[in-house]
Amino acid sequence: MAPSLMMVLASLLFATMGVCVKYASAHYSAAEIVFYRGLVGATIIGVLVLRRGGTLRTQVPAMHFWRSISGVAALCMWFYAIGNLPLATAMTLNYMSSVWMALFLLGGAILLGGARIDTRLVATVLTGFAGVALILRPTIEQDQLWHGLIGLLSGMLSATAYLQVTALGRAGEPEYRVVFYFSLGGMCAGFLLALGTGLHAHTGQGLALLLAVGLLATVAQLLMTRAYATGRTLVNASLQYLGIVFAFLYGVVLFDDPVTWMALAGMALIVAAGMAATFLRSRAAPAAADGANPT
């Protein structure tokens, strides 16, 4: 599967996971959801690796550690925002990570002095940002300001984590190993945080939601990790915006979120950015996925 298609599918699964997190937030704290998401993910990856004769031993433990620190922090903040904000708003704030990523890369190119970034890809990301600005309502209600800031910070930390995922892929780490250590980090951090916030009793519905969050997140994370490891960073960043479109549709159908012309215009810009990114990806590196490590 081409990296661009993997990122589109990952965006859909992440949006579906967001729905499950939204419902699960009525039963559990964000820390508990992060813990069980990590537990399910680490278990699935561990079993798959054992059955296929792979290994979880890594030569770059420090890289995994720092990727887990930034990624788990972003995940905790994102789940908190989903539980306290409208789904589309929380997803939009987190998907600002693509814009932060582009800014990081541009800043790095300026500092290095010799790196060149394709201006067409930059324009694609900026087009996606324009769509984000339209979907995100101009103001957040005063009593939701703190939740909105947490969601925005989750996007900034996600950008750092995604760049670290790219570095791990270039270091030769298979995506299953990257996802395993990220899940393990989420399990440990979530458990420690949950001890402070308190653990809630389980219900059948609650357990089903936690399992769904873990399954959806693990599959989406594997797809996203391979896409970043084999594709171009800015192309993947722009395609991630499609997650906002999926979240918006879920919000309208499941949570009765209002439909406005601004939101529709934003969706159109985001889809246009995704199509442009796919075109540029196929022209610039049509065979980049050929060297991808098997799952």
Side-chain angles (χ1 to χ4, degrees):
M1 187 183 298
S4 57
L5 293 179
M6 286 190 284
M7 184 57 71
V8 172
L9 181 55
S11 298
L12 175 59
L13 295 179
F14 274 129
T16 307
M17 181 204 70
V19 173
C20 296
V21 170
K22 186 76 172 176
Y23 284 126
S25 296
H27 305 276
Y28 307 98
S29 67
E32 289 176 283
I33 300 174
V34 170
F35 165 69
Y36 288 107
R37 176 249 186 267
L39 176 62
V40 172
T43 301
I44 292 174
I45 297 299
V47 170
L48 288 176
V49 171
L50 288 176
R51 291 190 62 181
R52 295 188 178 189
T55 177
L56 295 174
R57 182 176 301 174
T58 177
Q59 301 298 318
V60 287
M63 292 181 68
H64 284 288
F65 175 78
W66 290 113
R67 182 269 185 272
S68 295
I69 290 292
S70 57
V72 171
L75 186 66
C76 290
M77 293 179 180
W78 187 27
F79 283 5
Y80 175 85
I82 289 176
N84 292 277
L85 290 171
L87 180 61
T89 300
M91 295 290 289
T92 299
L93 290 172
N94 183 263
Y95 276 88
M96 288 282 286
S97 59
S98 297
V99 178
W100 290 112
M101 193 182 307
L103 293 176
F104 293 162
L105 292 176
L106 287 172
I110 294 174
L111 290 176
L112 292 175
R116 179 181 179 276
I117 294 181
D118 193 332
T119 55
R120 297 171 300 173
L121 292 176
V122 175
T124 298
V125 173
L126 293 178
T127 300
F129 176 80
V132 169
L134 287 174
I135 287 182
L136 184 62
R137 290 165 178 78
T139 59
I140 297 178
E141 295 179 8
Q142 189 64 32
D143 59 351
Q144 293 182 331
L145 179 59
W146 171 252
H147 307 318
L149 291 176
I150 292 295
L152 186 61
L153 184 57
S154 76
M156 183 186 298
L157 291 175
S158 292
T160 302
Y162 292 148
L163 291 176
Q164 290 167 335
V165 166
T166 302
L168 282 165
R170 291 172 178 170
E173 287 293 273
E175 55 271 13
Y176 69 81
R177 196 179 296 158
V178 176
V179 176
F180 173 81
Y181 283 110
F182 172 68
S183 298
L184 188 63
M187 184 177 66
C188 295
F191 179 74
L192 292 176
L193 290 173
L195 290 179
T197 59
L199 299 172
H200 294 81
H202 291 296
T203 64
Q205 181 184 24
L207 283 174
L209 288 169
L210 291 174
L211 179 61
V213 169
L215 288 172
L216 291 168
T218 301
V219 175
Q221 196 76 30
L222 285 169
L223 290 170
M224 186 207 73
T225 301
R226 172 167 285 194
Y228 270 103
T230 60
R232 300 184 67 181
T233 301
L234 287 177
V235 174
N236 288 319
S238 62
L239 287 175
Q240 274 189 278
Y241 284 126
L242 288 174
I244 302 172
V245 179
F246 300 136
F248 177 82
L249 295 175
Y250 277 134
V252 171
V253 174
L254 300 176
F255 304 109
D256 295 324
D257 289 344
V259 178
T260 65
W261 71 267
M262 291 181 65
L264 293 176
M267 289 175 59
L269 285 178
I270 292 168
V271 171
M275 293 174 62
T278 302
F279 173 76
L280 292 174
R281 171 66 178 83
S282 63
R283 289 285 299 273
D290 293 345
N293 294 319
T295 300

